[in-house]
Amino acid sequence: MALQYDDQNIFARILRGEIPNKTVLETEHTLAFHDISPSAPVHILVIPKGPYVSFDHFCADASDAEILDFQRTAAKVCAMTGVALDKGEGFRAITNAGAHGVQEVPHYHLHILGGRPMGRMLSTA
Ligand code: AMP
């Protein structure tokens, strides 16, 4: 996908170490950290280290190794934060893209939300 990546976005700055973060897990290709403004008792952001704008951009252009590492890291984060289904009560994993998705930070990120019932997926507003 021919998408312009803004390397001044806040997650790019976190990845360069210019802004601190509360890391949950870091691997070769992926970083997971606490959302600065949590919407639930568990609210973790999982991001690839590569310059991908959105979910579809990542899925289209990332290497197999990056995609595998990202997915496995997300699963580990679910286990580490106690929301995974084998021991916890579940979670919601969501990603926003672009204007209609109301994406604020233009670097692909997966929100993992849990620790309480999350309600219906979408409001009607
Ligand atoms: P989205 O609207 O899907 O782009 O979500 C962006 C998320 O990034 C929001 O939930 C913010 O609270 C979160 N966020 C913004 N800046 C930071 C930061 N410096 N550290 C951690 N999370 C952040």
Side-chain angles (χ1 to χ4, degrees):
M1 287 176 82
L3 279 186
Q4 194 81 21
Y5 178 79
D6 169 17
D7 68 4
Q8 294 307 310
N9 79 75
I10 199 142
F11 295 168
R13 298 185 65 201
I14 284 175
L15 286 167
R16 289 195 296 269
E18 296 167 7
I19 294 175
N21 74 92
K22 285 173 63 182
T23 298
V24 175
L25 186 59
E26 180 169 9
T27 66
E28 182 182 359
H29 297 296
T30 309
L31 179 68
F33 55 98
H34 289 271
D35 194 292
I36 203 167
S37 180
S39 298
V42 173
H43 189 170
I44 310 298
L45 301 174
V46 186
I47 69 172
K49 291 185 175 177
Y52 305 105
V53 174
S54 59
F55 170 74
D56 51 331
H57 187 207
F58 178 69
C59 293
D61 285 8
S63 68
D64 291 359
E66 288 174 299
I67 292 170
L68 182 64
D69 184 73
F70 185 92
Q71 301 288 43
R72 295 279 198 239
T73 301
K76 284 178 190 155
V77 166
C78 292
M80 289 169 69
T81 56
V83 300
L85 286 186
D86 55 346
K87 295 206 175 91
E89 295 297 321
F91 58 90
R92 177 164 296 149
I94 56 173
T95 182
N96 301 315
H100 282 192
V102 196
Q103 180 180 12
E104 291 171 18
V105 181
H107 181 113
Y108 170 48
H109 48 284
L110 185 69
H111 297 256
I112 295 175
L113 296 145
R116 66 165 169 81
M118 298 308 303
R120 293 181 67 84
M121 188 167 71
L122 294 172
S123 72
T124 51

